Amino acid sequence: MIRRPPRSTPKPSSAASDVYKRQPTNRTVVGVLKMDDILRFLLNSLDLEPKVEEVMTREVVSCGADDELSSVWELMEHEELSGLPVVQREKGKVRVVGVVTRTDIISSGTARIAGESKKGKTPPKVKSIMRTPVITIPPEVSLSKAVDLMLSKKVKRLPVVRAGELIGIISRSDILKMVCR
């Protein structure tokens, strides 16, 4: 939460004093603006015709289905990510087989798993909670279609796939960064 020091406000003229006195000064929350709301606005009001490949992240941080959840959690923390594609490497190609998010780990009840690894218990693996089938997008699709897909499928990131191989990932924040440039 961003906290700013209170601004000094000039005293109102007597004509405006009634209105001034009725304005809330206790910073009461009157609503919440979610990333989905912003994306929906962008989808309906801006030209989002650049292609996914122009905005996607090319160096994808990923994990494997047999990785321990504690390691994946630490990787997400270190890289400041909230989700990762789960990949399988075969014959020099990287294929997406699932997606795992912090929410998935927390919802599974395995959020406090680092200690279990040290106690001799078999730690849970990514494959036990990853989401399948994976919702992917090709690189030549427009950003507006990517935003529409994210909103309709309620996902925060889309692995970008060409000929079955992972070549990038596009997230809601990638799109917002592009719009803000």
Side-chain angles (χ1 to χ4, degrees):
M1 178 176 168
I2 299 172
R3 293 182 185 239
R4 294 188 177 110
R7 293 182 183 154
S8 59
T9 346
K11 293 204 175 213
S13 66
S14 60
S17 64
D18 287 341
V19 173
Y20 182 81
K21 288 178 186 172
R22 283 187 251 144
Q23 291 179 346
T25 58
N26 64 357
R27 297 183 181 197
T28 303
V29 175
V30 293
V32 176
L33 183 62
K34 298 186 319 185
M35 184 83 80
D36 287 358
D37 299 323
I38 296 169
L39 287 176
R40 201 168 281 108
F41 170 79
L42 292 174
L43 182 62
N44 294 325
S45 61
L46 292 177
D47 176 27
L48 294 176
E49 290 312 310
K51 305 296 182 208
V52 166
E53 63 191 335
E54 296 171 37
V55 179
M56 71 183 189
T57 300
R58 295 178 189 281
E59 294 179 21
V60 182
V61 178
S62 63
C63 64
D66 289 321
D67 290 345
E68 294 179 9
L69 286 175
S70 59
S71 300
V72 172
W73 182 271
E74 289 173 15
L75 178 61
M76 286 184 202
E77 284 285 311
H78 182 264
E79 297 292 333
E80 298 180 351
L81 298 169
S82 62
L84 301 174
V86 182
V87 299
Q88 183 176 40
R89 288 168 170 67
E90 49 187 47
K91 298 179 184 173
K93 290 194 174 192
V94 179
R95 198 170 60 91
V96 184
V97 295
V99 172
V100 65
T101 67
R102 288 182 194 223
T103 303
D104 296 332
I105 295 172
I106 292 168
S107 298
S108 72
T110 56
R112 294 187 286 162
I113 50 181
E116 289 182 15
S117 299
K118 296 173 187 168
K119 292 180 183 176
K121 294 182 181 178
T122 304
K125 307 282 186 188
V126 170
K127 63 184 166 190
S128 67
I129 66 163
M130 70 182 187
R131 293 182 189 195
T132 59
V134 185
I135 301 164
T136 63
I137 195 161
E140 61 277 354
V141 172
S142 70
L143 283 183
S144 60
K145 291 191 181 189
V147 169
D148 189 45
L149 184 60
M150 286 179 184
L151 292 171
S152 67
K153 298 296 185 179
K154 298 180 180 173
V155 295
K156 298 176 182 178
R157 68 203 52 78
L158 294 167
V160 182
V161 175
R162 178 183 285 139
E165 186 173 6
L166 179 68
I167 62 165
I169 192 163
I170 188 159
S171 68
R172 300 177 312 170
S173 59
D174 292 330
I175 295 167
L176 286 178
K177 287 175 191 171
M178 186 276 309
V179 170
C180 293
R181 285 187 206 152

